[in-house]
Amino acid sequence: MEKKDIKKVVLAYSGGLDTSIIIPWLKENYNNCEVIAVSGDVGQGTELEGLEEKAIATGASKLYVLDLKKSFIEDYIWPTLKAGAVYEGEYLLGTSFARPIIAKEIVEIAKKEGADAICHGCTGKGNDQVRFELTIKAFAPDLAIIAPWREWSIKSREEEIEYAEAHNIPLKINRETNYSKDKNLWHLSHEGLDLEDPANEPMYLKEGFLEMGVAPEAAPDKPTYVTIHFEKGVPTAIDGKEMGAIELLETANKLGGENGIGLADLVENRLVGMKSRGVYETPGGTILYRAHQVLETICLDRDTQHYKELIAAKYAELVYYGQWFTPLREALAAFVDETQKTVTGDVKLKLYKGNMINAGVTSPYSLYSEEVATFDEDNVYDQKDSAGFINLFGLPIQVRAKLSQNWDK
C-alpha cells in the first residue's frame, strides 16, 4: 500500500516518549490521517493515568485502553513459567511475552476500525519491532505496518525530546532521568544512560531508580518465609490463601520487593545481533520460578526433567524472538503441559536480602522415596546390583581403552 492510500492508522500507544511524538508525526507525514491510539493494560499502573487526554490533545481521534492483565498472566506468563523458560540464564522475559498479547489485540481493533495500517514506536535496533510485527503478520498478514524509527530523521532520544518540546507535547521524563523503561505486572526494565557502559554499577540505592522493591542491603535484617502452592505447574495460593492470578502475582511482587529479590543486571544478545545491557526488576516472578523449579525436582522423573531443561532454552529463545504464535512454540507448550500433570504441591522458601533459600517441599505426586535414598539400612535396594550396572554402562569405555593400547604401535 502506498503512503497516499493510508487514511486511518491504529497506533500501539503507551504515552511514553516514542509514541507521544508519533501521533503528530503520523499526521504530518501521512496525509493528516486519522490516528486511533490503543493501549494494552498489562499492569503499567500510573503510566496509564491521563493517557486519553494526552492522546486526544496530540491529535488522536480516540483511545482504546484494553484490560489485558488477567489474560497476560494466565495465557502468557504461566505457560512460560511452566516451561521454566529463561533467556540466557537470567532474563525472565518480562517485556518479551507482553508484546504478543498487545499486538494481537491491536490487530483486532484495526480490523474493527477498518484501518489501513498499524503503527508501532519500536526502534530499529530493538527486539520489540520483531515481536510486534511477527504477531501482526500472524493475524493480519496483508495489513500495512508503519515503523517511524525506520523512516524519520530523528536519531536519538535527545532529538525525540526536542521534537516533543517543539510540538508542546508533555513528557513525564527529563534528560537526567531518561532511562528507557518497560513496566508491567511481571517486571520493570531499565536501559540507557549510565547503564550503557557495562563497567558502571547500577545505582540501586539512587532515589527513584528501583520501583518494585529495595536493594538487598536495604532489605530487612530478618528472613521472611513464604509458601507457594502449585496445581499442575500453576501457582494458585500463597501461605495457604487461594488467589486469582493478578492478586497472586501482586502478592509475590510485594514479598519479593520488600526482601530485595529479583534484581538482574545482564548484557544480553539481542535478536538483531548486538549486545545490550539491561537491569531488570522481577521480584515476584523470581520467587515463582524458583519455587516451581524446586517442586519439579520431586515431581518429574529424571529423563523428563533433563529433557525439559533442554527445551526450556529453546522455549525462552522463541519467546524472546517474538515467535509466540508459531507451531513450534505451541508444540513445546503442549509438551510442557503434559509434564505438568503431576507438578502439584507446596514449596516453602526463606527470603533474605536478595536470597531465596529452600525451606521445604511436599507433593502428593512426589517421586522421592526416603526408603530408597537413605544412607541407613534398607530392604529395597541391593547395593551389589550396582556392579553389573557399572560393567554394562562402562563397557564402551573399557573396550575403547583396551583396543587403543595398540593404536600407536
Side-chain angles (χ1 to χ4, degrees):
M1 178 177 288
E2 295 185 15
K3 184 179 279 192
K4 63 180 177 63
D5 297 322
I6 294 177
K7 308 296 184 185
K8 184 184 289 189
V9 178
V10 168
L11 169 66
Y13 185 72
S14 69
L17 179 57
D18 295 323
T19 56
S20 291
I21 68 172
I22 283 176
I23 294 176
W25 181 87
L26 280 171
K27 299 183 78 68
E28 289 175 359
N29 292 273
Y30 281 83
N31 316 301
N32 197 33
C33 62
E34 181 184 358
V35 179
I36 298 169
V38 181
S39 294
D41 181 3
V42 287
Q44 301 93 313
T46 58
E47 292 180 13
L48 296 171
E49 293 177 1
L51 218 54
E52 181 175 16
E53 180 182 358
K54 181 177 180 179
I56 301 299
T58 50
S61 62
K62 67 176 77 169
L63 170 71
Y64 287 89
V65 178
L66 310 175
D67 186 353
L68 307 177
K69 295 190 290 295
K70 186 172 184 290
S71 177
F72 174 45
I73 299 174
E74 295 179 345
D75 301 328
Y76 295 81
I77 293 178
W78 287 169
T80 308
L81 167 67
K82 289 190 292 183
V86 183
Y87 185 70
E88 296 189 337
E90 289 193 77
Y91 177 42
L92 297 185
L93 299 164
T95 297
S96 307
F97 49 36
R99 297 311 184 227
I101 184 174
I102 294 172
K104 181 176 183 290
E105 295 303 320
I106 286 173
V107 168
E108 294 305 309
I109 297 297
K111 291 178 177 179
K112 173 184 173 182
E113 290 283 351
D116 304 306
I118 290 177
C119 179
H120 64 75
C122 309
T123 73
K125 286 185 177 181
N127 301 306
D128 280 346
Q129 59 182 334
V130 182
R131 296 164 182 157
F132 268 105
E133 294 186 31
L134 291 191
T135 301
I136 294 168
K137 291 178 185 298
F139 293 99
D142 298 321
L143 198 61
I145 299 172
I146 301 172
W149 271 103
R150 303 204 288 261
E151 294 184 30
W152 61 22
S153 60
I154 296 172
K155 301 298 183 185
S156 67
R157 289 176 69 82
E158 178 72 23
E159 290 185 12
E160 286 187 285
I161 293 174
E162 292 173 358
Y163 184 98
E165 291 172 346
H167 289 74
N168 298 314
I169 299 172
L171 299 174
K172 294 182 180 180
I173 61 172
N174 58 52
R175 288 170 171 80
E176 288 70 38
T177 61
N178 185 22
Y179 287 105
S180 176
K181 298 184 180 184
D182 178 70
K183 185 177 183 180
N184 57 46
L185 282 168
W186 185 250
H187 89 157
L188 173 64
S189 65
H190 309 258
E191 294 179 313
L193 297 180
D194 56 303
L195 300 179
E196 291 190 344
D197 184 352
N200 292 331
E201 180 182 5
M203 301 297 288
Y204 286 150
L205 296 181
K206 184 168 64 176
E207 185 177 356
F209 186 89
L210 294 179
E211 298 181 27
M212 297 183 74
V214 299
E217 54 264 51
D221 292 328
K222 63 178 183 178
T224 298
Y225 285 88
V226 59
T227 299
I228 312 293
H229 179 75
F230 290 84
E231 290 285 338
K232 296 183 177 180
V234 175
T236 60
I238 293 180
D239 292 333
K241 181 184 177 183
E242 294 281 336
M243 301 179 187
I246 296 174
E247 182 186 4
L248 187 140
L249 184 51
E250 289 176 341
T251 301
N253 278 333
K254 184 175 184 296
L255 287 166
E258 290 172 347
N259 287 280
I261 305 293
L263 296 176
D265 175 9
L266 61 144
V267 175
E268 67 199 60
N269 289 292
R270 283 184 178 175
L271 169 58
V272 295
M274 70 188 68
K275 290 184 181 291
S276 173
R277 196 270 190 94
V279 172
Y280 299 97
E281 301 178 55
T282 321
T286 301
I287 293 173
L288 297 176
Y289 259 75
R290 175 62 172 271
H292 181 262
Q293 180 186 41
V294 170
L295 183 57
E296 284 192 326
T297 65
I298 66 169
C299 293
L300 299 184
D301 65 275
R302 181 191 64 194
D303 289 349
T304 300
Q305 183 179 340
H306 288 184
Y307 194 76
K308 185 171 177 290
E309 289 171 0
L310 295 177
I311 73 102
K314 185 60 181 179
Y315 198 108
E317 191 175 77
L318 291 170
V319 176
Y320 188 86
Y321 289 176
Q323 295 171 296
W324 186 272
F325 298 107
T326 60
L328 179 55
R329 206 281 311 169
E330 292 169 359
L332 292 182
F335 166 78
V336 168
D337 284 343
E338 182 67 24
T339 70
Q340 300 299 289
K341 287 182 176 179
T342 58
V343 183
T344 293
D346 293 280
V347 180
K348 181 187 288 187
L349 297 175
K350 180 165 68 172
L351 313 179
Y352 182 68
K353 290 187 175 294
N355 296 292
M356 296 177 294
I357 303 164
N358 296 353
V361 54
T362 61
S363 170
Y365 303 104
S366 176
L367 299 176
Y368 180 86
S369 170
E370 186 175 352
E371 186 180 12
V372 173
T374 182
F375 284 96
D376 293 328
E377 182 179 354
D378 67 81
N379 297 312
V380 298
Y381 186 92
D382 188 343
Q383 298 202 26
K384 297 175 189 174
D385 291 343
S386 63
F389 164 73
I390 294 171
N391 286 336
L392 292 176
F393 191 65
L395 184 61
I397 297 173
Q398 187 176 21
V399 170
R400 185 182 188 281
K402 286 184 176 181
L403 294 178
S404 66
Q405 293 174 358
N406 300 316
W407 290 352
D408 296 328
K409 294 182 180 179

